[in-house]
Amino acid sequence: MRIPRNRTVPLIVAAALFMEHLDSTIIATALPVMAKDFGLPPIMLNLAITTYLVAVAVFIPASGWLADRFGARRVFVSAIGVFLLGSILCGLSQSLPMLVGGRLVQGLGGAMMVPVGRLLLLRSVPKTELISAMAWLTIPAMIGPVMGPPVGGFITTYASWRWLFWINVPIGIIGIAVALWLLPSIREEDAPAFDYTGFFLSAAGLAAGVFAFETLGRGIVPVEVTVAAALVGFTLIFAYIRHARNVDRPLVDLSLLRIPTFRAAVVGGSLFRIGVGAVPFLLPLQLQIGFGRSPLESGLTTFVSAAGALMLKAFAGRIIGRFGFRNTLVFNSILGALFIAVVGLAGPGTPVAILMSVLLIGGFFRSLEFTAINAIGYADIEPAQMSRATSLSGMAQQLSLSGGVAFAALTLHLLTMKDGLALDAGHISIAIGLVGILSASAAWIFAALPENAGEAMIGKFSSESRGAG
């Protein structure tokens, strides 16, 4: 039996997301052990996460043009190959700089893989079926986070952490074969010239800005270097904004932010992702360093967050259809952030069942928020704008996730520096609470949406809800 396209394309694209999410959740669980192997403080290993996320953000702007110029399927398959190469390099790493280099290569692959995969989805599925397609997309994509923590904990406890990266190889090979077999060949007939000036300004500006934030107050480099990097980053980003106003097809099309639904998805989604991006970094530290649990115990505890996200598939469309995009985004962002902050109240004596219940329910609400954000962001985007929209949206997503990790690491550094003590559960709890507050601030952005925002996309789900109610 042939699988309908609104399921085939999401499931194939989700294979790439599965590999990426498996990789990220496995690494988060193993950070304390990897830090010990390299002889470094655990906080320093946040570079292994932020390097990847920033590399993705820097190269994402070029992904849309590459897909238009060479074809989305060809770029998608090539991206998986580059990601596999980076995974192999990470597994061979003998030091933190080597690991960071491997993550950089992975980031280059991820920059093309995820947004181009989403572009394939958006161009293959009608808008009226997009919520359903997004829900199908979450199934295999969420299996990665479900498997990541326990598999990562098991491998780290009983084998070498290097296998955490090498496990991507067979997954990627299968993904390449299936993509070549079933994905449609989609490309623009008249791709514009590449914006080399825009790429340099945006890439260098983002890299300098993130470097400044990463080194702020940590004594890694002289303070003059941090200040200089911040000034360079700000200057280049400002120069890019002026450049983008004077070209017909800028690499990062900021004019798309004039569309209310897309602007809300980018700005509000970025605020919400700050907290979500920090949790995979903070929670394993809390469980292993704060509570003294093994990597395997940590992984078996944290995996339920992704299991909660898996529960969403059957309810996402009905919830959005019943309450609308605006109400869902506003109230659910507060609930999702609340369940992040509540995790910070846990202590060594907190029953595992209670902690896992909080993570399970929180995973459900966070996944619902992401489904709504991803769908509303493209509600008013025209087909010709899709590649530029996915590039800008993807860049914002990666920057906010890396910003969450960097903010959490900076908070822990400042707390331990102030107290003059080693990292403990109290410091990590404070950081979790702060990132939860940041995520809740997204509700203010979503509240500005009109009541009927994204109404055309709800389609059959809204009629089903009215009929049931």
Side-chain angles (χ1 to χ4, degrees), residues 176-318:
I176 289 174
V178 175
L180 289 172
W181 178 31
L182 293 175
L183 282 183
S185 180
I186 300 174
R187 64 181 296 177
E188 289 290 320
E189 294 299 327
D190 186 22
F194 186 69
D195 182 12
Y196 289 99
T197 300
F199 178 73
F200 169 77
L201 292 175
S202 62
L206 289 173
V210 172
F211 174 82
F213 189 73
E214 279 284 341
T215 58
L216 179 65
R218 302 208 203 167
I220 299 175
V221 297
V223 66
E224 293 82 5
V225 175
T226 298
V227 172
L231 291 174
V232 169
F234 176 81
T235 302
L236 292 175
I237 293 299
F238 179 75
Y240 176 80
I241 294 174
R242 295 196 61 179
H243 165 79
R245 292 174 178 172
N246 298 315
V247 295
D248 293 332
R249 290 289 299 270
L251 190 66
V252 180
D253 190 356
L254 299 177
S255 68
L256 293 173
L257 295 175
R258 297 171 187 164
I259 302 172
T261 49
F262 185 75
R263 181 174 63 248
V266 171
V267 179
S270 294
L271 288 173
F272 188 77
R273 282 187 181 87
I274 289 176
V276 175
V279 168
F281 171 68
L282 290 171
L283 193 54
L285 293 178
Q286 180 72 298
L287 292 171
Q288 296 178 52
I289 295 177
F291 300 168
R293 297 178 184 173
S294 70
L296 179 58
E297 291 173 322
S298 171
L300 290 173
T301 302
T302 58
F303 91 97
V304 296
S305 179
L310 277 174
M311 294 167 50
L312 171 73
K313 192 270 165 188
F315 304 101
R318 295 181 184 276

Side-chain angles (χ1 to χ4, degrees), residues 113-436:
M113 183 167 59
V114 177
V116 172
R118 188 178 293 115
L119 180 61
L120 278 165
L121 174 67
L122 292 168
R123 287 181 171 172
S124 303
V125 177
K127 286 188 176 182
T128 54
E129 301 177 8
L130 191 57
I131 296 177
S132 176
M134 288 291 185
W136 277 101
L137 183 66
T138 63
I139 297 178
M142 287 301 162
I143 293 176
V146 169
M147 293 178 58
V151 171
F154 180 84
I155 292 176
T156 305
T157 301
Y158 298 107
S160 170
W161 57 262
R162 301 179 188 281
W163 285 99
L164 304 179
F165 297 100
W166 294 334
I167 198 174
N168 290 329
V169 176
I171 299 172
I173 291 174
I174 294 173
I176 289 174
V178 175
L180 289 172
W181 178 31
L182 293 175
L183 282 183
S185 180
I186 300 174
R187 64 181 296 177
E188 289 290 320
E189 294 299 327
D190 186 22
F194 186 69
D195 182 12
Y196 289 99
T197 300
F199 178 73
F200 169 77
L201 292 175
S202 62
L206 289 173
V210 172
F211 174 82
F213 189 73
E214 279 284 341
T215 58
L216 179 65
R218 302 208 203 167
I220 299 175
V221 297
V223 66
E224 293 82 5
V225 175
T226 298
V227 172
L231 291 174
V232 169
F234 176 81
T235 302
L236 292 175
I237 293 299
F238 179 75
Y240 176 80
I241 294 174
R242 295 196 61 179
H243 165 79
R245 292 174 178 172
N246 298 315
V247 295
D248 293 332
R249 290 289 299 270
L251 190 66
V252 180
D253 190 356
L254 299 177
S255 68
L256 293 173
L257 295 175
R258 297 171 187 164
I259 302 172
T261 49
F262 185 75
R263 181 174 63 248
V266 171
V267 179
S270 294
L271 288 173
F272 188 77
R273 282 187 181 87
I274 289 176
V276 175
V279 168
F281 171 68
L282 290 171
L283 193 54
L285 293 178
Q286 180 72 298
L287 292 171
Q288 296 178 52
I289 295 177
F291 300 168
R293 297 178 184 173
S294 70
L296 179 58
E297 291 173 322
S298 171
L300 290 173
T301 302
T302 58
F303 91 97
V304 296
S305 179
L310 277 174
M311 294 167 50
L312 171 73
K313 192 270 165 188
F315 304 101
R318 295 181 184 276
I319 292 174
I320 296 172
R322 174 66 179 85
F323 298 103
F325 275 104
R326 188 184 72 173
N327 292 334
T328 300
L329 288 166
V330 170
F331 293 106
N332 193 64
S333 61
I334 296 173
L335 286 172
L338 177 64
F339 277 92
I340 292 175
V342 166
V343 173
L345 300 177
T350 301
V352 174
I354 293 179
L355 180 58
M356 293 181 73
S357 297
V358 171
L359 293 172
L360 180 73
I361 299 172
F364 177 90
F365 287 122
R366 289 195 293 276
S367 184
L368 174 60
E369 190 76 359
F370 287 142
T371 298
I373 289 171
N374 289 334
I376 192 65
Y378 301 98
D380 301 313
I381 297 293
E382 298 298 328
Q385 299 172 314
M386 281 296 183
S387 61
R388 286 171 285 156
T390 55
S391 294
L392 177 55
S393 177
M395 184 181 71
Q397 289 178 24
Q398 296 301 322
L399 285 175
S400 58
L401 290 172
S402 63
V405 176
F407 176 81
L410 177 61
T411 300
L412 293 178
H413 174 76
L414 294 176
L415 289 172
T416 54
M417 181 177 66
K418 176 184 176 182
D419 297 342
L421 300 172
L423 182 65
D424 61 24
H427 300 132
I428 303 172
S429 293
I430 293 173
I432 292 174
L434 290 175
V435 297

